[in-house]
Structure formats: C-alpha cells, structure tokens
Amino acid sequence: MTLRRRAVLARRVAATAVASVLVLVGCSGEPDPGDRLAATPASSGDDTATGAAETADATFRLDTVAGTGRATASFADGADRIIVTTTGVFRATADATERLAELPASSRDQLVEQTADGAHVVAADPTVPGVRWVDLADGTVTAADIGIDAAVLELLRPAADAPSPIVAVTPLGMSWADGLGGWTPMTVPDGRTIVGRSAVLDGRRVVAPLDDGPDVWIASSVGAEVVPLPLDPGARIADVAASDDGSLIAVTAWSGDDAFERRDTVVVLDAATLTVVAQLPFTRPLEPTQWALFDDLVVVAAGTELSFWRPDGTPIASSSDLDEEIADIDRLGDDVITVGIGGQVTAWGTDATPRPVVDTDRAQRIRRSADRLDLVDPFGQVVSVGPTPADVSTDTRFATGALTSVAVDASGDRVVTTSDNGQIVVLDRDLEIMTSWAVADTPTEVGVAAYVGNTLATGVQARLTSLAFDDTVTFWEGEGASVARAGGDGDDVAGCSFYYARVEEVADGTAALVTSHDFTVQRVDPATGEIAWTTPSDGAPLLDMTVTPDDRYLVVADDVARVQVWNVEDGTYLTAYDAPVGGYRQLVARGRTPDDNELLTVDLVGNLAVIDALTGEQLRVLATTEFRPTAIAVSHDGALVAVAHGNDRVGIWSADTGAPLAELTGTGATITDLAFTPDDGALLGSEDAGTLVRWVRA
C-alpha cells in the first residue's frame, strides 16, 4: 500500500467571523519564492528556545525555519524600505532583501514605529507588556521593560528634536523612552484608564482620552495633568487627533445610553486655549481611523458618506454612496487619501472628487512615511503611494500570507505548503524552494494539500457568500499545470456557515476522496476529475474525515456530534455513532497495519483519544491539552501522535500508552498543520506567520 499522508487543515474559519461577501482584488505580481520562503537554520540555545525535547522514546529539536514571515509594516529608508514582518526586520532594496534582525514570531501583527531619526524600529506585542528596540545599523534587538505592567495600545513618535524618541501608550498610562537606557513611566491618576487613540501634539506632548467623562490626559516627558474639556454635559471622549502644526486638537465626543445608542460628534478645539472651535455632529459611532484632522481640513467618513470641513466647522464638500466604507484616511500633498474596507485606495480633492489610485488586497491601514504613504495588505503585500497619487509601487516579496497546510510526498523529496492567499510552494527535502504558483489570479484561501499517488491535490475553501464557498479541488502535475478539478460550483447551501477542505488518498493513489461545501464527500479520479460516487447530504457541516488503513472505510465527523462510516469502494452507508458534544474536530487513522481500525481523535475541548473506527468505542484517552488543538498528525509507524495546541507548542504522545514524550516549540506563531516525513525522522509544521518549521528526530 502506498504511503498516505493525511493533510489536516487547522486554520479554522469561525462561523461567525465572516458574514458578508469579501471581494478580493488581485496582487500585482507573483511573490519571488526564493525571498519569501527561504530556509534558514534555527538558532542554537536551550531546549525551550530551540524547541528541543528529549524522552526515552523521542528526541526532537527545531532544525530549520523557512520563510521571511508575512510583512506587517513598511517604513521609508532613503530609496529603500524597512519591512517589518511577523518574524523579523528587513531592509528591502529594488533587487534584494537583507534580514536585519529577528523578532519573536506572533500570530498577531506587532505594533511597530520607527524613530524620527530613522535609526531604530520599536516593536510591541499587543498582548504582553514591554517593547523591543531594533538597531537598524547592526541588527541588535534589545528588550525593554517600559515600567508599566500593561500591554501597549500604541507606539507614538514625537518630533525628531523631542527629548523622547518613542512614547508607549498603555491603558494605565504612558512611558517615555530616554534612549535604549530606560523609560520614564507615568500612570494615569485616580485609577482611570486611557480608552482610545491618543495623539502627539506640537511634537512633544501626548494627548490621551480618559474613561468616564470629558477629560484628556496631557503628558510630556517631564510631567502630566488631567484636563477637562468644555464638552456638552454627559459627553465622553473616544479618540483624539492633533493637527501637524500643533494649533488644533480634535476629539470624538460621544453620547447615548450605551454603545448601541452611541452618537459621535467631532469637536475641534484650539490647542493653546482648549476652547471649542467647531462641533460636527454625526448620527453614528466613528472609528478612530474614519476621521482625520489636518492643519486646514477635517475629513470624516460616516458610513458611505465622506465629508470635508474647515476646522471652524464650515462645510466644504461631501460625497455620498461610496462603493465601500472607509477604513483609513491620510493626506499626500494637497490630496486626501482614503482606503476602503475592501482595499480600494482613492485620492480626493477638497471638492470631494474621487480619483482611483490602486486596488489592494484588503489593506486597511495607511502609514505615513517621508513623502509616501505605505499600506500592507493582510497577506503581506506592500503598496507605496507617493510622492503623488500617480506614483504607486508594490512589493510582493513578503506576501507569504498565513500558511494553512503542509504535505510531504511518499519519497520525502517534496514538501508542499499552501496559504490563505492562494500560493502553493514546493520545496525539496532541504526546504529549499523548487517552484511556486497561485491557484487563482486573486488571493484565494487554500485550505489543504495532499499527495494522491504522485499527484498533488489542493482544496480551496474561499467564502463566496454567506451560504457558499469555493470548494474547488485541483489535481496538479508539474509547475502549476492542473490535470483535473472537482467541485467549485459555488452554489448557496442552506446552513453552510463554514467549510473545511479535506482530501484523502485511496486505492493506491488512483482515487481521492474530497469534501464539498454542500456537506457531501465525493470519490474522484485525480487523472480525469470523474466522480465515482457522492455521499448524500443531510445538512450537517463536515468537520473532518479519514480513511482506515485498509482503504475499506471512510469515517466522517460532522458538526452535530455524529460520526458516519461509508464504504470507500462504492460509497454505501454502513453505520453511524455519536461523538462528544461539539463533534470530533480532527480524525486521523493510526495505520500501524492494514487491518488496524484505531483512530486518533480530538474533540472540541481538546481531549485526545483513541476510538474504534467502526463502533466509536473509546479505547483510551491519551491526554487533555491545555488549549484547543489546531492540528494533528500520526507518525507512519503509528507509534507517535503529534498535536499542535493553541499557540506555538506541539505535544507528542505515545499512541499506545498516552505517555507524553515531547513538548516542542516553533517560532511563536500558531501552528496550522503538521506532517511527519515518510521515515518519521522529522516533523514539519506550517505557521500562520507565513513560516514553515522543521523538528528533526535524533
């Protein structure tokens, strides 16, 4: 029997996370795979740092990390760019990239800011206290305690000649850097907290909104005070902005009994006297990025209307019926630049006349950098606009997206990763790039990769509507050459709130079993795409499936806590049994021998158990993981089961006894899939930071 490698998608699409159609617009070019997913040896160190673990039965160590990570921010560096990714800091020239420093990988984008002199980048994880200084000259990374035990909300950059190069704002106060040597922390008095966006005023002071009232906290490196603003009774401040010349500040003052009744007013004040200059009322809440204050202009995006005002409250112009709501606003010369929630970048004159600039792939935050504006889309593509709106450049070298799966062929010579932006990357056994291609012209989430014989199969799981997914399964031969397809009709299906792509090899690679978003499983010929049979749909979304080692039984877990068993040869129904509440989130056949019917299962709360594939009888519980698992893999000899759980950790247990054998760590990002190599000599993990990790076994 040929080797079967079960590809488990673990980057789950939450049913409530996407409730509307997302229109993805195309990348400008294909990423250079040599830059994007190049292999680098892991640094040495202690067991925790390198991911090594040792027991009597298994010894693994983190051997290689492949990939630059996904770009999250970009700064001007003369004619070059400083690119911050999920794993490090890079200098990017027109024809080369250079890694300047490594950062702990994170599933969340880090808060980053560049000092005004351009010498350092400061990064903060928004979930934990502290920051890291990156010296761009020598790559030195210095961890710093800012003196406040709270996660950072914002990193602000004062003027170049200000006493402090960076201010870290937290809910409890703010801390002023005095170089790499230390910080001056200031906490908000009387137990109050900072609740929204703060602003740098006149290059030296920071104005922060406080909870429960009309007060702001105005602080500098030498002192701070709470200042009440002359707002309407009962008004509370949400966010603060300041003009570049320091003459004006503006706040969103909101009223209403609760968040559902909230109505915002943009209040412009003279920065010197804190007297009200103008009040601009709106009938809805305003996000902090949906309004902006400039020296001579106030711009507000309320729903599908964009309005332009003088700071004294005089209306200038407005544009209604926008194609999409505005996500961020900035300025480039005389033009106002907006980016919509779908990624459309538009230049506006003050007469509210729009001029399309560029479509991005859902980039939503604008970062002003020298005479340019930079945007980074969710997949890592960097788009720069400036010095005029007609000057647009893109850089896809860090557009890894989040890796969603990893598969290894039967020889171990090819490793494949897929990502949520549709990229397929094929690497050799040393994790060096062989080739790459995209499944579509626009970013399309690929949920699974698996080898069916010598043919690579990939499954798309891209939402089309609230009730439909693109569930195309493509069988590939060579570099981006598809030989057959299945699925992809994209019809609305009642109850289709989520969909997980799955592919299983059967019949020595001459057939594949694939899932569909209509809750069915099909047997497909990978050479022709011909469908041999389809299981009936009963309206329950499928969570996972596997095939017993003898190729006789297909076992399918669904979202109503049920497991159904089907005959692989002809698709006839055999039996069903109950699963724990929430269903089995993952199933994988143990596969020690062809007649072995043991399955490894993970339920909703993280219980790792062995069950009988035909009866559902729970044979033994191996472990209860601390976090909800995100991926599972079983070694080809059936001895080891590896489970990724909740963060960058992978637990390895004996499949026979449940004894814990190893605890591995990756780069710090969430592991989305796992795969053992055919000889069980290594374990591979794909990460949502856009990186691939390999642990080797001694």
Side-chain angles (χ1 to χ4, degrees), residues 640-677:
L640 305 177
V641 54
V643 178
H645 48 92
N647 46 21
D648 71 329
R649 296 189 176 276
V650 176
I652 297 182
W653 288 268
S654 165
D656 286 314
T657 67
L661 301 180
E663 180 82 1
L664 314 180
T665 57
T667 66
T670 296
I671 295 167
T672 58
D673 197 14
L674 293 168
F676 282 96
T677 54

Side-chain angles (χ1 to χ4, degrees), residues 99-374:
R99 183 186 288 269
L100 301 178
E102 293 186 7
L103 294 174
S106 173
S107 298
R108 298 186 57 176
D109 292 354
Q110 300 198 66
L111 300 171
V112 292
E113 187 56 86
Q114 187 179 30
T115 55
D117 61 6
H120 296 85
V121 165
V122 183
D125 186 321
T127 63
V128 296
V131 301
R132 284 179 168 81
W133 286 86
V134 180
D135 188 318
L136 299 180
D138 61 14
T140 302
V141 179
T142 305
D145 181 351
I146 64 173
I148 300 177
D149 189 19
V152 176
L153 292 174
E154 288 183 282
L155 292 170
L156 300 178
R157 178 175 62 187
D161 58 351
S164 179
I166 288 289
V167 181
V169 181
T170 79
L172 304 182
M174 60 186 74
S175 195
W176 299 71
D178 49 15
L180 297 179
W183 292 74
T184 302
M186 300 177 182
T187 55
V188 184
D190 303 324
R192 301 183 68 178
T193 58
I194 297 172
V195 294
R197 180 184 66 182
S198 302
V200 176
L201 177 63
D202 63 31
R204 284 171 165 72
R205 294 179 291 168
V206 172
V207 184
L210 297 182
D211 63 334
D212 195 27
D215 300 337
V216 293
W217 197 41
I218 302 179
S220 70
S221 59
V222 296
E225 62 177 334
V226 175
V227 179
L229 299 183
L231 305 180
D232 292 340
R236 286 156 284 184
I237 299 175
D239 300 291
V240 179
S243 61
D244 288 336
D245 64 8
S247 65
L248 300 169
I249 66 169
V251 301
T252 40
W254 67 277
S255 59
D257 294 335
D258 52 40
F260 296 101
E261 298 295 328
R262 175 175 159 175
R263 301 291 183 269
D264 283 11
T265 298
V266 176
V267 182
V268 183
L269 303 102
D270 183 287
T273 64
L274 295 182
T275 56
V276 173
V277 175
Q279 298 192 64
L280 312 176
F282 294 87
T283 59
R284 57 178 291 155
L286 299 174
E287 294 296 326
T289 56
Q290 291 179 325
W291 65 279
L293 172 66
F294 305 105
D295 295 346
D296 59 346
L297 196 64
V298 179
V299 183
V300 181
T304 57
E305 181 176 8
L306 186 69
S307 56
F308 299 78
W309 310 73
R310 296 295 181 203
D312 63 5
T314 303
I316 302 173
S318 65
S319 177
S320 58
D321 299 325
L322 301 177
D323 292 337
E324 59 186 16
E325 291 194 15
I326 300 299
D328 204 358
I329 303 169
D330 212 313
R331 200 159 186 185
L332 190 63
D334 294 331
D335 292 296
V336 171
I337 305 295
T338 64
V339 57
I341 59 174
Q344 172 64 54
V345 181
T346 305
W348 302 81
T350 54
D351 60 354
T353 301
R355 304 192 313 278
V357 175
V358 64
D359 276 340
T360 70
D361 298 320
R362 289 190 287 123
Q364 293 186 12
R365 184 184 175 190
I366 302 171
R367 183 184 298 277
R368 195 184 307 185
S369 185
D371 60 351
R372 288 179 284 186
L373 301 179
D374 284 354

